Amino acid sequence: MYGTPGWRIVDADWSRDEPAIRRVRQAVFVDEQGIPESLEWDGRDAACRHVLALTGTAEVVATGRLLTDGRIGRMAVLCAWRGRSVGSALLERLQQQALDSGLQRVYVHAQVKVAGFYRRAGFQVAGQPFVAAGIAHVEMTKVLVAV
């Protein structure tokens, strides 16, 4: 388990945690960023590994997912919880899940405005910027090393 006394990162199960995951992603991607629901809910979640950030009272404040091909995505932290290292802890746990699954490389389609977050975590740009859901993105990759 990862986290601090005020919050912790836990592995999630889509069949059990879908409502909580949907609440966070709806708030961040659909409501805040204006991404159409038809793009946000891509039908791939049941096949993904998910993580959650929980407060001390078990309120879900962040989530992320790992696809079977090593793509980390749908990293969403509620506004009030940004800047507290929650996103970094989510990313760290997802990378560990990738290693545990036998993956040697992970990648993200990072929104350009947060590419620095992934760069600080060791990701490198792997292509030209592109637009997805009306937002500028860039693919970034990272080779994983077991510790």
Side-chain angles (χ1 to χ4, degrees):
M1 187 166 11
Y2 300 80
T4 71
W7 54 269
R8 67 190 188 282
I9 303 298
V10 298
D11 292 346
D13 177 87
W14 178 251
S15 62
R16 178 191 67 221
D17 299 312
E18 177 183 358
I21 293 168
R22 282 186 174 272
R23 275 193 302 277
V24 171
R25 286 173 38 190
Q26 179 78 28
V28 173
F29 296 125
V30 178
D31 299 342
E32 182 182 326
Q33 296 182 2
I35 294 172
E37 287 189 46
S38 61
L39 295 178
E40 177 54 32
W41 307 113
D42 61 6
R44 300 175 79 181
D45 286 300
C48 295
R49 296 182 72 173
H50 297 266
V51 294
L52 300 173
L54 305 175
T55 67
T57 59
E59 175 190 1
V60 176
V61 296
T63 187
R65 75 179 188 184
L66 173 67
L67 283 80
T68 57
D69 69 353
R71 180 174 170 189
I72 292 173
R74 301 307 200 263
M75 294 270 298
V77 179
L78 294 178
C79 187
W81 286 86
R82 294 178 194 152
R84 301 186 195 192
S85 299
V86 174
S88 296
L90 283 175
L91 185 60
E92 183 179 333
R93 180 63 194 137
L94 289 164
Q95 290 175 87
Q96 186 59 53
Q97 285 184 347
L99 276 171
D100 294 346
S101 296
L103 295 170
Q104 298 176 351
R105 174 188 160 281
V106 290
Y107 71 102
V108 297
H109 288 170
Q111 292 183 10
V112 169
K113 67 182 179 181
V114 295
F117 165 79
Y118 292 101
R119 192 172 296 110
R120 288 187 298 277
F123 286 74
Q124 297 180 342
V125 172
Q128 296 299 314
F130 61 94
V131 175
I135 300 170
H137 286 72
V138 66
E139 185 170 318
M140 302 179 80
T141 64
K142 181 177 180 180
V143 174
L144 299 175
V145 179
V147 289

